[in-house]
Amino acid sequence: RPVPRDVNGKPESESYMEYFQAIRALAAIGSDAVLIEAIKGSGIVEVPLDLVELRAHRGGMSKHLTNQILQTLRNPKSTEDELLSAIIITWLSHDTDLVPDLHVVLAKANLESQVVRYACTALQALGDHSNEFGQLALNLVLTKTNTSLGLNILLNLGEQGSELLEKWLESCN
């Protein structure tokens, strides 16, 4: 069920805490189908950072569940909240087959957006070291809001990221 909101549109704190506790429990017991529905149906597009670790012992999510997420990632009419929920689930899924679809989402997203931040977090968690991800990170360095994210990604990409960063620094001089 959706988390109730106060008059300012903020989640009510008690309901918000209950939501976080519930999705932690669902992740820990491995109830992926219910976890996905809770994330999609809550109206909240954030989760505790330890959620991926809580469900990690379960391994990858079933393809049946991740295929449902593909529909949202590939639908050009998906709302930002729908995309954010799908990206969160992708992050939790451990399904590296979803990496190309995240690249497509990133190619269409505003580099200053929350969609980009969530997708980059998911791609890092899924172990993406592609040239495409490195180039996106370099583009993020040039943004106002996601500069540190871009730098962090480049540094985590190792030699490839260092080379891109070095070329960018040389072009600044």
Side-chain angles (χ1 to χ4, degrees), residues 50-173:
D50 63 351
L51 200 62
V52 74
E53 295 166 10
L54 287 170
R55 81 153 303 284
H57 71 282
R58 303 289 298 179
M61 283 186 185
S62 77
K63 289 292 184 186
H64 170 73
L65 294 174
T66 57
N67 284 339
Q68 293 173 10
I69 299 312
L70 277 176
Q71 294 172 8
T72 303
L73 293 174
R74 292 177 177 172
N75 184 350
K77 294 182 181 179
S78 292
T79 66
E80 182 173 337
D81 283 355
E82 289 169 338
L83 275 176
L84 292 173
S85 292
I87 293 167
I88 289 168
I89 295 161
T90 300
W91 171 57
L92 295 171
S93 75
H94 296 287
D95 188 346
T96 57
D97 291 342
L98 299 174
V99 166
D101 291 286
L102 284 178
H103 284 194
V104 172
V105 168
L106 284 172
K108 296 176 184 176
N110 177 331
L111 292 178
E112 304 274 350
S113 71
Q114 193 173 15
V115 168
V116 166
R117 288 190 295 277
Y118 277 45
C120 286
T121 300
L123 286 168
Q124 285 183 297
L126 294 171
D128 186 6
H129 285 84
S130 67
N131 290 333
E132 190 175 356
F133 191 37
Q135 197 57 52
L136 169 77
L138 188 58
N139 292 338
L140 290 176
V141 170
L142 304 174
T143 67
K144 187 174 182 176
T145 58
N146 287 327
T147 301
S148 60
L149 175 62
L151 287 171
N152 184 31
I153 292 166
L154 288 172
L155 293 172
N156 286 322
L157 287 175
E159 189 174 328
Q160 172 196 357
S162 297
E163 289 172 5
L164 287 168
L165 193 53
E166 183 179 350
K167 286 179 185 176
W168 174 71
L169 288 171
E170 287 173 358
S171 74
C172 291
N173 290 330

Side-chain angles (χ1 to χ4, degrees), residues 8-26:
N8 297 320
K10 302 273 186 203
E12 292 180 3
S13 60
E14 187 175 323
S15 297
Y16 189 73
M17 290 306 297
E18 287 174 4
Y19 164 74
F20 267 55
Q21 291 170 349
I23 62 171
R24 276 190 171 113
L26 291 168

